[in-house]
Amino acid sequence: MAASTTSLSFRSNDREIAAASAPSIALAVGVVALAAILQATLLHVAVIRNATPSLVLIVVVLYALRVGAERGLLIGALGGLFEDALTGGTGGSWTLATAMVAIVAGAMSRFFFSDAPQALIIAVALGSLLRSAFFWSIMSLGGYPSGLAATHLHTAILQALYTTLVAIPIILFLARSKERPVQRIKLRDFRST
């Protein structure tokens, strides 16, 4: 009786396929820059109780889940840097917080089946909460008053819900555009020649 050579793995065999089918780093940098500009200009009109959706976070989480921690870290750090540059007064907190979320999302890609839209929606919601926790922890180390923690917790929860609601149509669009119908190609019959 021969032993089976197949082994169970956590997407390690699919890593090369996922990285190859993911957008290039240049395209991801362009998308995250566009997301940061839209977030800093247009989305501040749509503020609900001091919470705005984070397009940068959506891009970073979806990209890091697709490509892993190393490439995700680059996009996360750039996305956070864009946010710090456009908002000011945060002392690099968005850069660090978004980079850390990219590392976590990229590390989770080994255990996370990121093809299902429901899983991606949950990942964006958890990523938003995690990024807010990292952000306020970094800000408190810089001397930000800790007495505002309850207010920031409420804002973080509302922002996670808001970001998730904005992410849902984006995720569904990406899932729909990824599914392409099988096209039949007429083969030439070489027997008749």
Side-chain angles (χ1 to χ4, degrees), residues 19-174:
S21 65
S24 69
I25 290 180
L27 179 63
V29 169
V31 171
V32 81
L34 178 65
I37 291 169
L38 288 174
Q39 187 173 312
T41 56
L42 298 177
L43 288 182
H44 280 288
V45 174
V47 174
I48 298 176
R49 301 179 112 193
N50 293 329
T52 58
S54 177
L55 294 177
V56 170
L57 175 82
I58 295 169
V59 171
V60 168
V61 168
L62 295 180
Y63 190 76
L65 281 173
R66 186 73 179 213
V67 299
E70 295 84 17
R71 287 172 63 186
L73 173 62
L74 174 65
I75 299 303
L78 283 174
L81 185 65
F82 291 150
E83 283 184 301
D84 279 327
L86 293 172
T87 57
T90 57
S93 297
W94 286 124
T95 303
L96 294 173
T98 309
M100 288 193 287
V101 167
I103 291 171
V104 171
M108 290 305 297
S109 69
R110 290 190 152 280
F111 310 103
F112 190 82
F113 296 105
S114 62
D115 299 339
Q118 298 87 349
L120 293 174
I121 291 166
I122 292 169
V124 168
L126 293 176
S128 180
L129 289 172
L130 187 61
R131 185 172 91 138
S132 293
F134 285 144
F135 177 78
W136 293 114
S137 297
I138 295 166
M139 290 294 284
S140 68
L141 290 174
Y144 202 78
S146 60
L148 299 174
T151 304
H152 294 303
L153 175 63
H154 292 206
T155 303
I157 292 170
L158 186 59
Q159 185 169 0
L161 290 171
Y162 201 6
T163 300
T164 304
L165 286 175
V166 171
I168 289 172
I170 295 169
I171 291 169
L172 293 176
F173 174 77
L174 291 174

